[in-house]
PDB file of all heavy atoms in Angstrom:
ATOM      1  N   ASN A 938      96.819 -45.014  50.087  1.00 90.00           N
ATOM      2  CA  ASN A 938      96.562 -43.638  50.517  1.00 90.00           C
ATOM      3  C   ASN A 938      95.524 -43.614  51.625  1.00 90.00           C
ATOM      4  O   ASN A 938      94.540 -44.333  51.571  1.00 90.00           O
ATOM      5  CB  ASN A 938      96.040 -42.800  49.348  1.00 90.00           C
ATOM      6  CG  ASN A 938      97.200 -42.276  48.521  1.00 90.00           C
ATOM      7  OD1 ASN A 938      98.280 -42.067  49.047  1.00 90.00           O
ATOM      8  ND2 ASN A 938      96.969 -42.101  47.229  1.00 90.00           N
ATOM      9  N   GLY A 939      95.794 -42.762  52.637  1.00 90.00           N
ATOM     10  CA  GLY A 939      94.853 -42.656  53.738  1.00 90.00           C
ATOM     11  C   GLY A 939      95.045 -43.724  54.788  1.00 90.00           C
ATOM     12  O   GLY A 939      94.266 -43.820  55.741  1.00 90.00           O
ATOM     13  N   GLY A 941      97.317 -43.845  56.949  1.00 94.00           N
ATOM     14  CA  GLY A 941      97.771 -43.253  58.205  1.00 94.00           C
ATOM     15  C   GLY A 941      99.280 -43.142  58.317  1.00 94.00           C
ATOM     16  O   GLY A 941      99.812 -42.886  59.394  1.00 94.00           O
ATOM     17  N   LYS A 942      99.990 -43.275  57.191  1.00 95.00           N
ATOM     18  CA  LYS A 942     101.448 -43.264  57.217  1.00 95.00           C
ATOM     19  C   LYS A 942     101.975 -41.883  57.616  1.00 95.00           C
ATOM     20  O   LYS A 942     102.816 -41.763  58.513  1.00 95.00           O
ATOM     21  CB  LYS A 942     102.005 -43.646  55.833  1.00 95.00           C
ATOM     22  CG  LYS A 942     101.476 -44.990  55.311  1.00 95.00           C
ATOM     23  CD  LYS A 942     101.987 -45.335  53.931  1.00 95.00           C
ATOM     24  CE  LYS A 942     101.586 -44.368  52.830  1.00 95.00           C
ATOM     25  NZ  LYS A 942     100.157 -44.366  52.447  1.00 95.00           N
ATOM     26  N   THR A 943     101.464 -40.850  56.937  1.00 96.00           N
ATOM     27  CA  THR A 943     101.927 -39.505  57.256  1.00 96.00           C
ATOM     28  C   THR A 943     101.531 -39.129  58.683  1.00 96.00           C
ATOM     29  O   THR A 943     102.294 -38.492  59.416  1.00 96.00           O
ATOM     30  CB  THR A 943     101.352 -38.506  56.240  1.00 96.00           C
ATOM     31  OG1 THR A 943     101.806 -38.864  54.936  1.00 96.00           O
ATOM     32  CG2 THR A 943     101.793 -37.094  56.543  1.00 96.00           C
ATOM     33  N   THR A 944     100.329 -39.544  59.075  1.00 96.00           N
ATOM     34  CA  THR A 944      99.881 -39.265  60.444  1.00 96.00           C
ATOM     35  C   THR A 944     100.855 -39.873  61.449  1.00 96.00           C
ATOM     36  O   THR A 944     101.211 -39.238  62.446  1.00 96.00           O
ATOM     37  CB  THR A 944      98.470 -39.827  60.649  1.00 96.00           C
ATOM     38  OG1 THR A 944      97.596 -39.250  59.685  1.00 96.00           O
ATOM     39  CG2 THR A 944      97.958 -39.526  62.042  1.00 96.00           C
ATOM     40  N   GLN A 985     106.069 -35.075  52.725  1.00 94.00           N
ATOM     41  CA  GLN A 985     105.447 -35.559  51.490  1.00 94.00           C
ATOM     42  C   GLN A 985     105.252 -34.414  50.498  1.00 94.00           C
ATOM     43  O   GLN A 985     105.560 -34.526  49.320  1.00 94.00           O
ATOM     44  CB  GLN A 985     104.110 -36.221  51.839  1.00 94.00           C
ATOM     45  CG  GLN A 985     103.419 -36.853  50.661  1.00 94.00           C
ATOM     46  CD  GLN A 985     102.135 -37.572  51.091  1.00 94.00           C
ATOM     47  OE1 GLN A 985     101.917 -37.815  52.281  1.00 94.00           O
ATOM     48  NE2 GLN A 985     101.299 -37.901  50.140  1.00 94.00           N
ATOM     49  N   ASP A1076     109.150 -39.031  54.036  1.00 96.00           N
ATOM     50  CA  ASP A1076     107.769 -39.264  53.623  1.00 96.00           C
ATOM     51  C   ASP A1076     107.681 -39.204  52.095  1.00 96.00           C
ATOM     52  O   ASP A1076     107.714 -38.126  51.512  1.00 96.00           O
ATOM     53  CB  ASP A1076     106.849 -38.234  54.275  1.00 96.00           C
ATOM     54  CG  ASP A1076     105.402 -38.686  54.274  1.00 96.00           C
ATOM     55  OD1 ASP A1076     105.085 -39.660  53.553  1.00 96.00           O
ATOM     56  OD2 ASP A1076     104.579 -38.074  54.986  1.00 96.00           O
ATOM     57  N   GLU A1077     107.547 -40.332  51.464  1.00 94.00           N
ATOM     58  CA  GLU A1077     107.449 -40.461  50.008  1.00 94.00           C
ATOM     59  C   GLU A1077     108.522 -39.681  49.257  1.00 94.00           C
ATOM     60  O   GLU A1077     108.206 -38.825  48.426  1.00 94.00           O
ATOM     61  CB  GLU A1077     106.047 -40.036  49.537  1.00 94.00           C
ATOM     62  CG  GLU A1077     104.955 -40.811  50.262  1.00 94.00           C
ATOM     63  CD  GLU A1077     103.637 -40.847  49.500  1.00 94.00           C
ATOM     64  OE1 GLU A1077     103.605 -40.426  48.330  1.00 94.00           O
ATOM     65  OE2 GLU A1077     102.649 -41.303  50.082  1.00 94.00           O
ATOM     66  N   VAL A1107     108.556 -43.861  54.122  1.00 96.00           N
ATOM     67  CA  VAL A1107     107.197 -44.114  53.635  1.00 96.00           C
ATOM     68  C   VAL A1107     107.270 -44.015  52.124  1.00 96.00           C
ATOM     69  O   VAL A1107     107.811 -43.030  51.600  1.00 96.00           O
ATOM     70  CB  VAL A1107     106.205 -43.079  54.182  1.00 96.00           C
ATOM     71  CG1 VAL A1107     104.933 -43.066  53.355  1.00 96.00           C
ATOM     72  CG2 VAL A1107     105.876 -43.371  55.635  1.00 96.00           C
ATOM     73  N   HIS A1109     105.548 -45.306  48.037  1.00 91.00           N
ATOM     74  CA  HIS A1109     104.622 -46.062  47.190  1.00 91.00           C
ATOM     75  C   HIS A1109     105.366 -46.841  46.111  1.00 91.00           C
ATOM     76  O   HIS A1109     104.833 -47.775  45.535  1.00 91.00           O
ATOM     77  CB  HIS A1109     103.627 -45.122  46.509  1.00 91.00           C
ATOM     78  CG  HIS A1109     102.513 -44.712  47.409  1.00 91.00           C
ATOM     79  ND1 HIS A1109     101.719 -45.621  48.063  1.00 91.00           N
ATOM     80  CD2 HIS A1109     102.061 -43.495  47.774  1.00 91.00           C
ATOM     81  CE1 HIS A1109     100.822 -44.968  48.799  1.00 91.00           C
ATOM     82  NE2 HIS A1109     101.010 -43.679  48.640  1.00 91.00           N
TER      83      HIS A1109
HETATM   84 MG1   MG D2813     100.917 -39.477  53.248  1.00 96.92          MG
END
Side-chain angles (χ1 to χ4, degrees):
Chain A
N938 276 331
K942 305 178 298 290
T943 299
T944 302
Q985 184 176 345
D1076 199 347
E1077 305 202 9
V1107 162
H1109 280 305

